[in-house]
Amino acid sequence: MQRPFTIDDIAMNYSSYIALIPLLPLAAFVMLGLLGKQLSRSAGILATLIMLVSTVLACYTAYNYFFVTGKVNGVYPPVAAFHYNWLPFSPGLSIDMGVLLDPASVMMLVVVNFVSLMVHVFSLAYMKGENRFATYYAFLALFTFSMLGLVLSGNLLQMYIFWELVGVSSFLLIGFYYDRPAAVAAAKKAFIVTRFADLGFLIGILILAFYGGTLDFNTLIYQLTATNSSPLTQSPQAGFPGISLLTWALMLVFMGGAGKSAMFPLHIWLPDAMEGPTPVSALIHAATMVVAGVYLVARLYPIYLLDVAVLQIITWVGAISAFLAAIIACTQTDIKRVLAYSTISQIGYMLFALGLAGYGHTTTGYSASLFHLFTHAFFKSLLFLGAGAVIHFVHTNEMLEMGGLRKWMPVTHLTFLIACMAIAGIPPFAGFFSKEEILLAAWENNRYVFLLALITSGITAFYMFRLYFSIFWSRTRSYPHQHGEGSWTMKVPLVLLGTAAVLVGFIPFADFVALDNQKEITIPLSFSIAPVTIAIAGIALAYLLYYKYNPGPQKLALALGGLYKMVKRKFYFDELYLFITKRIIFDGIAKPAAWIDKHLVDGFMNGAGRATARFAESIKAWQSGRVQSYALYFFGGIIALAALIVYWWT
Amino acid sequence: MNEIPLTHILFLSTALFFIGMYGLFTRRNLITMLMAIELMLNSVNINFVAFNKYLYPDKLNGVFFTLFIIAVAAAEAAVAIAIFINLYRNHRSIDVEETEQMRY
């Protein structure tokens, strides 16, 4: 098969070790899954060491890719580092297992490995003394394997397989405390909602594969962008109701991405997923798995660029999610839920940045989006790990029961502050640079989205510092269980991620990850004034309301009345879904279906059985029990048949 | 060599068959009935062998069938006798009238 964009001789450089990066965590999973009981305490250390090796390999790969191989004709070429023809169907269509390296996947490789390693180290202290300590590490390793596989996938179906695998490991980890009913419910909810979205993803894959003739990313992109003869890109008449097949396929694929990335209106599972252990939230529900939707759209970006309508839908889904989630985050008091909504909000940023190209002015949103994904992974996992340290210290998630923690937890306090500055977009922290690029892309393409994003960034600064002031300042309390800030295994990841959150913004990201024909991103200094001002205003408001404990916030909540209540209840999305599932689907569809099954289908079957039994009852007297009379009937029958045959024959 | 005509043999087998049938219908002892069935089977065997020899002397199909029937008959006799033994244990008799109780 023709592989137009890949250069095979470069692939030879990587093939020897690249497969090890995902396979090492898999080996850890198998080992801990089988021998976990015997290893107990050392299980965590073993898994962490394996992750360390994998991370080193990933960094080496990135170094090799960006600096040794370098650019070919001015772009970083996609490299199929490893390719195995797994299930061939026809000469054109086969399901392969492969590793595809391009700037986006190499970037994700480093991010996933690094954050996973930090979480592994952090969990050594956080999960200490847990009954299922080894199982926890086995699940973490399974997740890391699946996520790395997803990132490196060279074709759609392979990506889908790993996509479901991360879903499963997320399910297992959310439900880790399976003796808590809330955790079990949250795990089920997360699984069902994302599965529902994945149904769309699968159908989208099938449409793309059927009409594109291949599952391979590069070949698919090449075929769809280079030729206009494909039925996918042709007139809308080929599709159903007036929408072209390509639009359908891309919409459905995006539905899968939106489910995984917890976008409006499929966002309901993410806040509940916070029932899992906090380091898990840092890894899965902040830095890696939930950005899979962004990564998916970025992977197929050249195809998405063919369809303006879908990009515009993505823009608005992203922008509305970003805005609504930010508002909801202002009213939540569970610190992990605040962070969960802020994650939804930030992923909304990434998605609308991708979608902005649909307004046809510039395509800089692509690298802006992935840059934000990159920086967000560091500061958001830092926030979650900081929250984990806080929860570990005060034994509660409620921010109303915290305050004054800066005295006891100086390291956590400092790193948390850095992360808050980063997410609020204060220079020179990482989030500032990526958010500026997104805002610039919005400014160039769609002013309404820009305005919404600007307001959202102000709200972001407000709720993050509301969280920060409530935890570390406000009124000082006495905490009954004093056991210090935590061991070095908890502090080292915080410090490393904090350093990253300061430094990664200075990476000239657009030089590494960009579309082939993308123009330089230059942010004029004057452009930054508005976002930074609004962020500082948000922080100032939070300072006024939450720096010292005062009745201000409560008064404000009372003054807003119904509006506050509506936001606090998350715009009644959960209630709406419950109404739809319970009242409409269960009562309206499932119960009548059950009635039909019980009374009509079963009734018919029972009736048939009863009729047979009654008929048999009426003729059973024919069975006399006299063997010889049976034999007589038999011979009589044979003779009659013989007579008949002889008669017919002659 | 003075060959025996086919009709003679067919007459023998037919006679044997109806002797067996008569036995099957008139006897009340299950073992005797089993023996009658064996007679009928053997009459069929004679038919097979005879037709094979007279009509297709260069083939062996009939002989094979005969061997099959003998094997099946042996197996059937084993099963039948096992049933009779059980019947005898329960009823102290192997009269065919006893089996009437086994209806529905």
Side-chain angles (χ1 to χ4, degrees):
Chain A
M1 194 197 296
Q2 193 192 9
R3 301 191 172 278
F5 288 145
T6 53
I7 296 171
D8 284 331
D9 50 334
I10 301 176
M12 296 308 290
N13 287 340
Y14 300 99
S15 53
S16 49
Y17 60 86
I18 189 83
L20 275 180
I21 297 174
L23 289 180
L24 279 174
L26 178 66
F29 165 66
V30 172
M31 208 149 42
L32 295 185
L34 293 176
L35 305 172
K37 287 247 161 56
Q38 287 88 318
L39 289 168
S40 69
R41 187 76 194 115
S42 53
I45 295 163
L46 182 72
T48 311
L49 286 178
I50 289 176
M51 266 322 294
L52 184 68
V53 176
S54 183
T55 311
V56 168
L57 282 178
C59 292
Y60 180 65
T61 308
Y63 170 77
N64 232 349
Y65 184 81
F66 285 120
F67 299 108
V68 176
T69 310
K71 291 192 178 188
V72 176
N73 304 330
V75 292
Y76 290 105
V79 178
F82 172 79
H83 186 259
Y84 170 66
N85 202 329
W86 186 36
L87 296 173
F89 288 124
S90 65
L93 188 65
S94 63
I95 297 176
D96 301 346
M97 282 287 152
V99 168
L100 177 67
L101 293 182
D102 69 355
S105 72
V106 173
M107 181 272 287
M108 286 294 285
L109 195 62
V110 175
V111 169
V112 172
N113 264 307
F114 182 69
V115 176
S116 178
L117 177 64
M118 291 300 107
V119 167
H120 272 76
V121 175
F122 187 87
S123 303
L124 284 176
Y126 188 86
M127 299 300 283
K128 195 172 158 187
E130 204 62 56
N131 266 340
R132 297 160 73 222
F133 186 75
T135 317
Y136 171 80
Y137 270 97
F139 288 165
L140 268 192
L142 174 65
F143 171 78
T144 312
F145 157 69
S146 326
M147 192 66 209
L148 290 171
L150 193 162
V151 163
L152 292 173
S153 291
N155 64 68
L156 269 169
L157 205 88
Q158 188 190 349
M159 191 171 188
Y160 183 75
I161 293 169
F162 285 108
W163 187 273
E164 293 302 338
L165 269 176
V166 291
V168 168
S169 26
S170 156
F171 167 81
L172 290 171
L173 283 165
I174 296 169
F176 183 72
Y177 298 121
Y178 60 85
D179 46 355
R180 273 199 240 149
V184 174
K188 275 195 289 189
K189 189 173 179 182
F191 197 70
I192 292 168
V193 173
T194 49
R195 271 299 320 171
F196 171 72
D198 292 347
L199 178 68
F201 184 20
L202 183 61
I203 298 170
I205 289 177
L206 293 180
I207 298 176
L208 279 180
F210 187 75
Y211 290 99
T214 175
L215 288 161
D216 188 83
F217 284 125
N218 287 326
T219 321
L220 190 68
I221 289 168
Y222 177 77
Q223 285 185 357
L224 291 185
T225 50
T227 59
N228 286 321
S229 56
S230 163
L232 273 177
T233 44
Q234 271 173 0
S235 58
Q237 284 92 312
F240 172 74
I243 301 170
S244 77
L245 271 171
L246 183 71
T247 309
W248 272 111
L250 293 179
M251 280 279 293
L252 288 166
V253 169
F254 174 64
M255 178 179 161
K260 212 49 137 199
S261 288
M263 284 295 100
F264 170 86
L266 295 168
H267 65 281
I268 50 160
W269 66 272
L270 187 58
D272 286 13
M274 296 298 130
E275 291 293 337
T278 311
V280 167
S281 311
L283 177 61
I284 301 184
H285 307 119
T288 54
M289 188 189 84
V290 286
V291 297
V294 181
Y295 183 71
L296 174 65
V297 176
R299 256 275 177 261
L300 296 173
Y301 204 56
I303 304 178
Y304 273 99
L305 283 178
L306 299 176
D307 202 309
V308 173
V310 178
L311 280 175
Q312 293 181 353
I313 290 170
I314 293 177
T315 308
W316 284 106
V317 167
I320 290 170
S321 303
F323 183 66
L324 287 184
I327 292 179
I328 296 174
C330 294
T331 60
Q332 299 299 306
T333 54
D334 180 322
I335 57 174
K336 285 183 73 185
R337 277 175 194 254
V338 174
L339 293 177
Y341 279 106
S342 109
T343 306
I344 297 175
S345 177
Q346 298 303 310
I347 296 170
Y349 267 95
M350 299 169 204
L351 273 177
F352 82 66
L354 285 176
L356 279 168
Y359 292 94
H361 299 290
T362 57
T363 53
T364 51
Y366 175 77
S367 65
S369 168
L370 289 178
F371 190 21
H372 198 56
L373 189 162
F374 182 65
T375 58
H376 174 259
F378 294 108
F379 60 69
K380 184 51 67 66
S381 53
L382 172 57
L383 282 170
F384 266 105
L385 291 185
V390 168
I391 292 167
H392 193 63
F393 185 80
V394 300
H395 297 286
T396 175
N397 282 11
E398 279 300 310
M399 70 160 96
L400 299 178
E401 294 170 27
M402 301 172 188
L405 281 174
R406 68 186 182 286
K407 289 176 192 156
W408 287 285
M409 316 185 77
V411 177
T412 314
H413 170 227
L414 188 70
T415 50
F416 204 86
L417 178 62
I418 290 173
C420 285
M421 301 276 238
I423 193 172
I426 303 294
F429 298 99
F432 166 73
F433 297 94
S434 50
K435 205 177 264 186
E436 285 310 275
E437 283 190 14
I438 289 180
L439 288 173
L440 186 70
W443 174 257
E444 285 168 346
N445 288 296
N446 188 323
R447 297 288 157 89
Y448 297 109
V449 173
F450 172 75
L451 203 64
L452 201 59
L454 198 62
I455 297 168
T456 308
S457 91
I459 303 172
T460 307
F462 170 72
Y463 70 72
M464 282 322 297
F465 276 84
R466 167 178 177 262
L467 187 65
Y468 165 74
F469 285 127
S470 304
I471 297 175
F472 294 103
W473 299 82
S474 194
R475 55 183 167 184
T476 306
R477 296 161 181 269
S478 61
Y479 296 97
H481 311 289
Q482 296 277 351
H483 52 57
E485 197 178 353
S487 62
W488 64 270
T489 49
M490 282 171 91
K491 284 178 197 161
V492 165
L494 292 178
V495 172
L496 283 178
L497 284 169
T499 320
V502 177
L503 295 180
V504 292
F506 293 102
I507 294 174
F509 195 79
D511 291 352
F512 294 113
V513 183
L515 291 178
D516 295 347
N517 50 0
Q518 185 171 309
K519 70 179 177 84
E520 290 278 307
I521 301 176
T522 44
I523 302 173
L525 203 60
S526 55
F527 182 79
S528 305
I529 294 172
V532 174
T533 316
I534 201 165
I536 289 173
I539 295 171
L541 185 63
Y543 177 83
L544 286 179
L545 287 171
Y546 297 99
Y547 175 64
K548 280 211 165 62
Y549 184 77
N550 63 54
Q554 279 179 358
K555 271 190 206 160
L556 196 64
L558 274 180
L560 288 170
L563 190 67
Y564 177 80
K565 199 169 163 234
M566 187 173 87
V567 177
K568 171 99 178 156
R569 300 294 302 274
K570 306 148 199 168
F571 293 108
Y572 300 106
F573 266 111
D574 280 322
E575 284 77 1
L576 182 71
Y577 272 93
L578 273 185
F579 178 78
I580 291 174
T581 50
K582 283 241 166 75
R583 291 277 163 274
I584 296 177
I585 296 180
F586 288 172
D587 287 357
I589 298 170
K591 279 189 183 163
W595 188 88
I596 287 173
D597 184 53
K598 212 177 279 172
H599 292 96
L600 293 187
V601 179
D602 287 5
F604 174 73
M605 286 304 169
N606 289 341
R610 223 170 297 143
T612 312
R614 215 170 291 143
F615 179 66
E617 189 73 28
S618 65
I619 61 166
K620 76 177 179 185
W622 294 2
Q623 190 189 6
S624 62
R626 285 192 290 274
V627 184
Q628 282 162 324
S629 54
Y630 299 165
L632 200 58
Y633 298 146
F634 176 73
F635 278 111
I638 293 285
I639 287 165
L641 270 179
L644 213 61
I645 287 170
V646 170
Y647 172 75
W648 281 99
W649 218 325
T650 52
Chain B
M1 184 157 175
N2 195 14
E3 285 228 332
I4 304 164
L6 180 59
T7 46
H8 285 42
I9 299 175
L10 290 186
F11 180 80
L12 171 69
S13 86
T14 314
L16 205 55
F17 186 84
F18 282 100
I19 291 168
M21 201 163 145
Y22 175 78
L24 186 66
F25 287 139
T26 54
R27 297 289 133 181
R28 288 289 176 267
N29 187 309
L30 280 169
I31 291 186
T32 324
M33 286 169 70
L34 184 66
M35 289 156 71
I37 291 173
E38 295 296 328
L39 278 185
M40 287 154 76
L41 284 170
N42 279 327
S43 80
V44 175
N45 285 347
I46 291 171
N47 253 1
F48 266 119
V49 176
F51 280 126
N52 190 46
K53 181 173 164 55
Y54 283 89
L55 299 184
Y56 304 101
D58 50 339
K59 290 187 179 166
L60 286 172
N61 299 17
V63 180
F64 280 141
F65 263 108
T66 307
L67 284 174
F68 268 122
I69 291 169
I70 291 169
V72 171
E76 172 229 292
V79 173
I81 288 170
I83 293 171
F84 300 160
I85 289 171
N86 270 314
L87 191 74
Y88 183 76
R89 281 188 184 153
N90 285 315
H91 296 271
R92 294 281 138 202
S93 153
I94 48 167
D95 196 297
V96 72
E97 308 282 340
E98 296 292 333
T99 60
E100 278 181 33
Q101 289 176 8
M102 290 201 288
R103 72 177 191 264
Y104 41 85

